[in-house]
Amino acid sequence: MTRTIVASATREIIIGFDQPFCVIGERINPTGRKKLAAEMIAGNFETVIRDALEQAACGATMLDVNAGVTSVNPNETEPGLLVQTLEIVQGLVDLPLSIDSSVTAAIEAALKVAKGRPLVNSVTGEEEKLEAILPLVKKYNVPVVAISNDETGISMDPDVRFAVAKKIVQRCADFGIPAHDVVVDPLVMPIGALGDAGRQVFALLRRLREELKVNTTCGLSNISFGLPHRHGINAAFIPMVIGAGMTSAIMNPVRPQEMEAVRGANVLNGTDENCTNWIRTYKDYKPAEGGQAVAAPTQVNAPGEGANNGGRRRGGREARMARG
């Protein structure tokens, strides 16, 4: 069974088909958040701190950390800022982190200070990117997100996206990186623009699981981009992709409707043994008057929650598509 291990200094979690769905909190990302970008440039990390603590309290398994505040001279500005942000976040929470950058120098700088075993987010099928990122992944012995696009861009043909994913897995093997340390992002398209985007990704996930035997992730809210009441679409999408084989997603854990979908899918998928996490989270839950749902309780991850960790402790990326 494929298992991808990520860890903080004190907690290890496993991403896998037999594990609870891994929620990678997306909020520490200034892309599309002008106020946050301005704060980070000015050295103000109040929002970063708040987002880190809130996502952890709401049940995130991991946190994505992105410091892409500007497209101007990112090779100069991003490494130092990403390191500073990463050090602040890992000093606040004991969750494993995802180092999210398209700047190679920033990824390398962050890997030097990261505690535990972070996830590198990400590498594409472009040969230049493979040659730059994969040696770092091997050197620091960390897992990597493989995004299914290459020099030709993002294909609308799911067979092409599968072929790119297969190429990346093979190139990782060339560098001595095992398939269980490759987490493929098959690229979720907006359903409002591409009517069969859902069916495409379900089919892709099954192939990735059965043929390549790799774990998978996505920018979850891509599916609902441009639609009203996006969280309803996202919440419907979650159990469907989990059923098709997806094992993690970069998403907003602060949204109760979406986290309920994750937790419910874990129950029905058999990865929340004896419904323990569901009961702990919702045993005191009551609907609001008038039948409208109230916000789900926040929850700090309990020891051992979300992974069969064999007795061991458990421990972003630049927006490549609009997340909304």
Side-chain angles (χ1 to χ4, degrees):
M1 186 64 71
T2 301
R3 294 187 167 192
T4 304
I5 296 174
V6 290
S8 66
T10 59
R11 178 180 293 196
E12 178 183 281
I13 69 106
I14 300 169
I15 304 172
F17 305 122
D18 61 343
Q19 301 296 308
F21 192 68
C22 179
V23 175
I24 306 173
E26 70 179 7
R27 296 289 295 165
I28 304 172
N29 189 336
T31 306
R33 301 177 69 189
K34 292 182 180 180
K35 181 175 180 292
L36 176 58
E39 287 179 359
M40 292 175 71
I41 290 171
N44 177 357
F45 292 90
E46 291 180 7
T47 300
V48 168
I49 292 169
R50 182 174 65 250
D51 284 345
L53 294 174
E54 186 176 28
Q55 290 182 106
C58 288
T61 318
M62 298 177 60
L63 296 183
D64 192 71
V65 179
N66 184 299
V69 296
T70 176
S71 59
V72 180
N73 297 324
N75 288 311
E76 297 178 10
T77 61
E78 194 167 325
L81 188 57
L82 182 58
V83 166
Q84 188 176 7
T85 307
L86 189 77
E87 290 182 324
I88 288 171
V89 174
Q90 66 186 4
L92 290 169
V93 301
D94 66 346
L95 301 180
L97 302 180
S98 167
I99 297 172
D100 183 353
S101 180
S102 60
V103 178
T104 302
I107 291 175
E108 183 169 18
L111 284 170
K112 289 178 180 178
V113 301
K115 299 176 181 178
R117 195 171 196 252
L119 176 67
V120 169
N121 186 9
S122 55
V123 69
T124 66
E126 299 166 88
E127 196 60 36
E128 181 180 354
K129 286 291 185 182
L130 293 168
E131 292 291 338
I133 301 299
L134 295 188
L136 295 176
V137 171
K138 176 62 177 177
K139 177 181 178 180
Y140 289 92
N141 186 29
V142 291
V144 63
V145 173
I147 298 183
S148 301
N149 68 283
D150 58 15
E151 291 87 351
T152 64
I154 300 172
S155 174
M156 295 298 104
D157 184 342
D159 289 337
V160 172
R161 298 208 299 278
F162 177 83
V164 174
K166 184 175 181 179
K167 169 193 171 182
I168 298 174
V169 172
Q170 290 172 338
R171 293 290 282 118
C172 283
D174 292 341
F175 281 86
I177 301 163
H180 65 249
D181 275 340
V182 183
V183 181
V184 172
D185 182 344
L187 291 171
V188 172
M189 303 298 174
I191 194 74
L194 187 65
D196 65 344
R199 292 191 299 272
Q200 278 194 9
V201 76
F202 303 148
L204 264 171
L205 288 168
R206 293 185 186 101
R207 291 191 69 189
L208 290 166
R209 175 173 179 162
E210 293 168 8
E211 297 180 38
L212 297 187
K213 304 185 188 319
V214 291
N215 282 309
T216 45
T217 195
C218 72
L220 186 91
S221 63
N222 287 343
I223 192 66
S224 63
F225 180 72
L227 293 176
H229 189 45
R230 295 183 64 185
H231 306 299
I233 295 292
N234 296 345
F237 186 57
I238 287 166
M240 296 185 77
V241 290
I242 292 175
M246 186 166 278
T247 50
S248 70
I250 300 168
M251 56 181 285
N252 187 353
V254 179
R255 299 290 181 184
Q257 187 176 9
E258 296 173 28
M259 288 301 289
E260 286 175 7
V262 169
R263 294 183 180 115
N266 287 337
V267 169
L268 299 172
N269 206 29
T271 56
D272 182 2
E273 189 174 357
N274 299 320
C275 307
T276 301
N277 186 42
W278 181 271
I279 293 169
R280 180 169 55 235
T281 305
Y282 297 109
K283 60 184 174 63
D284 298 320
Y285 178 84
K286 295 179 181 178
E289 292 184 5
Q292 294 185 5
V294 296
T298 57
Q299 169 200 330
V300 177
N301 291 326
E305 174 193 315
N308 177 10
N309 54 24
R312 294 177 293 185
R313 292 179 296 178
R314 302 187 312 141
R317 66 183 166 176
E318 181 184 18
R320 295 163 184 88
M321 300 175 66
R323 291 177 182 165

